């Protein structure tokens, strides 16, 4: 079996919108807002704005209607909305040239497998099962899962492992060590 470990868990506001951007953007909200903001471009003109780590005391609705202002969508999602947050999100709307905005509230957590290499008994032999990508660890609604990140995991694993014609779990000791360091960073 493979135990899972969980890191931090946050309540997030996720806004879907149409835009004129094509790159990932990190927006720094004014100090005291209590959350981080990340914009992730999707396919075509689709994008998402994440407000990560919103205060748990905010009373929230689960989903908003469609609007053309992040501030208005925020007002639909959060009771007793802070006017400074509404003003900030309205300015983000202008900066991103956003339209057709809908918002929802989600809970997001980091997860990590306990071990990146598992032993699978196949008849009389023990074969390694190597975890990479989302099977190994994930951060939904934080940075999203990307194919490039999965390729980077595989490339790092291949570079760090002793590749032989007969692979064993010991072939992946370096991968286990690298993953242990990553896990320590995430859980600390």
């Amino acid at each position: 079996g493979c135990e899972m470990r969980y890191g931090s868990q946050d309540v997030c506001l996720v806004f879907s919108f149409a835009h004129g951007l094509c790159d990932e953007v990190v927006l720094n909200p004014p100090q005291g807002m209590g959350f981080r903001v990340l914009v992730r471009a999707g396919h075509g003109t689709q994008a998402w704005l994440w407000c990560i780590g919103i205060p748990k005391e905010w009373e929230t609705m689960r989903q908003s209607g469609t609007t053309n202002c992040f501030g208005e969508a925020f007002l639909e999602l959060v009771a007793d909305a802070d006017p400074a947050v509404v003003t900030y999100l309205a300015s983000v709307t202008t900066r991103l040239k956003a339209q057709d905005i809908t918002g929802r509230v989600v809970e997001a957590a980091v997860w990590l497998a306990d071990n990146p290499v598992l032993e699978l008994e196949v008849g009389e032999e023990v074969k390694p099962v190597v975890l990479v990508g989302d099977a190994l660890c994930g951060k939904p609604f934080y940075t999203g899962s990307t194919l490039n990140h999965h390729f980077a995991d595989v490339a790092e694993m291949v570079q760090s492992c002793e590749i032989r014609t007969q692979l064993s779990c010991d072939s992946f000791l370096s991968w286990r060590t690298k993953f242990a360091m990553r896990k320590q960073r995430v859980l600390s």
Side-chain angles (χ1 to χ4, degrees), residues 24-123:
E24 185 174 296
V25 176
V26 176
L27 302 169
N28 296 315
Q31 288 197 357
M33 291 279 174
F35 56 87
R36 298 175 313 280
V37 177
L38 173 74
V39 177
R40 184 79 185 237
H43 181 70
T45 62
Q46 186 66 37
W48 294 268
L49 175 109
W50 283 282
C51 296
I52 302 165
I54 67 167
K56 293 185 193 273
E57 62 270 8
W58 286 2
E59 187 178 325
T60 57
M61 302 297 290
R62 283 319 221 184
Q63 192 159 345
S64 74
T66 302
T67 181
N68 284 320
C69 179
F70 290 117
E72 290 175 15
F74 178 77
L75 284 169
E76 288 185 35
L77 291 171
V78 178
D80 300 323
D82 180 345
V85 175
V86 175
T87 302
Y88 166 73
L89 289 173
S91 72
V92 170
T93 305
T94 304
R95 181 174 173 194
L96 299 179
K97 300 178 178 87
Q99 57 189 353
D100 300 326
I101 300 165
T102 59
R104 68 183 189 277
V105 177
V106 298
E107 289 186 25
V110 175
W111 73 85
L112 300 142
D114 196 39
N115 189 344
V117 182
L118 307 172
E119 296 179 353
L120 177 66
E121 291 183 25
V122 180

Side-chain angles (χ1 to χ4, degrees), residues 7 19 25 29 41 79 89 111 127 132 163 173:
H19 69 91
V25 176
L89 289 173
W111 73 85
K127 302 283 185 178
V132 295
I163 304 298
L173 287 175

